[in-house]
Amino acid sequence: MKPVGLLGGTFNPVHHGHLRAAIETKEVLDLARVHLIPLLIPPHRDPPEVSAHLRLSMLQAATADEPALLADDREIRRGGVSYTIDTLIQMRDEMPETPLCMILGTDAFAWLHTWREWEHLIELAHIIVVHRPGTDLPKDVPANRLLRERETCKKEDLQDSPAGSFLSMAIPFLEISSTRIRSILHNGQNPRYLLPDSVLEIIRKERLYL
Ligand code: ATP
Ligand code: MG
């Protein structure tokens, strides 16, 4: 059975780095699709200044004509602080047998041990860390120590069971972050080509990140 991927984030705003990472991972691991899941309230940082509704609208605009990517509003609908463990419990409930692949970048991976019930995440999904070619995973982080025992480099392992494997993979990495886009806009400069035009249209119309 083809695994289903999920990539959570603030998406404030979504950009080509997120979208390419989702597509590259989908192709390499032969995923059925990737759910992009904007959080409502982040556990570990200040709430984004742009509403969840607008962050979701931007994500919907970015993925509208791409069947492999799905803007998934479950964390917004659920309300409260967005814990990934709750999202995985919910997805597992909906898809009892389907392999789930939780995708995260190395920056998020370095803090995985601070996530709620982080040691249980791998019981509900496979964990996929994407990193820049030529770079290694952060070796000293607690997550790396725990997950090494579960490590695989075979994508078949992801299809053979619903959860439980850890895989890291290098993908062509676009040097783009939402922080940089916000700062470009804040300085009155042009962020075009870092993110989809349809997203930029919403930003301009709603006068975001000024
Ligand atoms: P911010 O600058 O506000 O932190 P961000 O660009 O890092 O935003 P997030 O919404 O924080 O985006 O990230 C969501 C997920 O996407 C994280 O797992 C992160 O590692 C990953 N990610 C972010 N930017 C990229 C990129 N350019 N390439 C691959 N993955 C990325
Ligand atoms: Mg980030």
Side-chain angles (χ1 to χ4, degrees):
M1 197 188 306
K2 280 194 183 193
V4 166
L6 60 138
L7 175 66
T10 316
F11 299 110
N12 186 31
V14 61
H15 53 68
H16 284 139
H18 299 126
L19 298 165
R20 282 307 307 167
I23 293 283
E24 300 272 0
T25 311
K26 178 199 177 265
E27 314 236 285
V28 175
L29 301 180
D30 199 18
L31 306 179
R33 61 183 181 277
V34 177
H35 293 232
L36 302 173
I37 311 182
L39 55 77
L40 178 64
I41 300 174
H44 294 299
R45 57 199 265 188
D46 290 338
E49 64 284 9
V50 169
S51 73
H53 165 75
L54 277 172
R55 289 182 288 111
L56 176 67
S57 297
M58 293 189 276
L59 199 48
Q60 284 166 337
T63 55
D65 60 357
E66 178 45 69
L69 302 182
L70 195 87
D72 183 334
D73 65 353
R74 66 180 64 238
E75 293 190 355
I76 297 171
R77 276 187 286 121
R78 195 164 69 226
V81 178
S82 304
Y83 293 108
T84 301
I85 189 81
D86 297 334
T87 302
L88 290 181
I89 290 171
Q90 204 180 13
M91 291 180 82
R92 178 53 65 219
D93 214 43
E94 286 165 24
M95 296 175 266
E97 310 289 336
T98 310
L100 295 175
C101 290
M102 174 182 124
I103 304 161
L104 60 169
T106 33
D107 56 323
F109 175 71
W111 292 100
L112 190 67
H113 61 284
T114 66
W115 294 18
R116 176 180 271 199
E117 294 187 49
W118 73 275
E119 286 150 308
H120 295 131
L121 296 168
I122 197 152
E123 289 160 18
L124 295 161
H126 302 298
I127 296 182
I128 314 297
V129 181
V130 295
H131 56 96
R132 292 179 171 73
T135 65
D136 284 330
L137 285 188
K139 283 275 182 287
D140 301 336
V141 303
N144 199 42
R145 284 197 286 278
L146 180 93
L147 296 175
R148 211 178 295 155
E149 299 161 14
R150 310 281 203 128
E151 188 153 16
T152 179
C153 51
K154 295 203 299 276
K155 72 174 186 189
E156 291 73 25
D157 286 348
L158 306 177
Q159 288 162 11
D160 291 346
S161 65
S165 289
F166 170 57
L167 185 145
S168 75
M169 57 184 235
I171 57 166
F173 216 91
L174 301 180
E175 210 52 67
I176 304 174
S177 71
S178 304
T179 301
R180 176 146 169 260
I181 292 172
R182 292 196 299 274
S183 125
I184 288 172
L185 286 159
H186 187 69
N187 294 329
Q189 295 166 331
N190 185 354
R192 197 164 179 211
Y193 309 126
L194 296 175
L195 72 180
D197 281 345
S198 56
V199 174
L200 191 53
E201 255 173 56
I202 296 176
I203 291 175
R204 300 252 193 250
K205 183 163 155 275
E206 302 287 338
R207 302 182 52 77
L208 306 178
Y209 312 113
L210 293 178

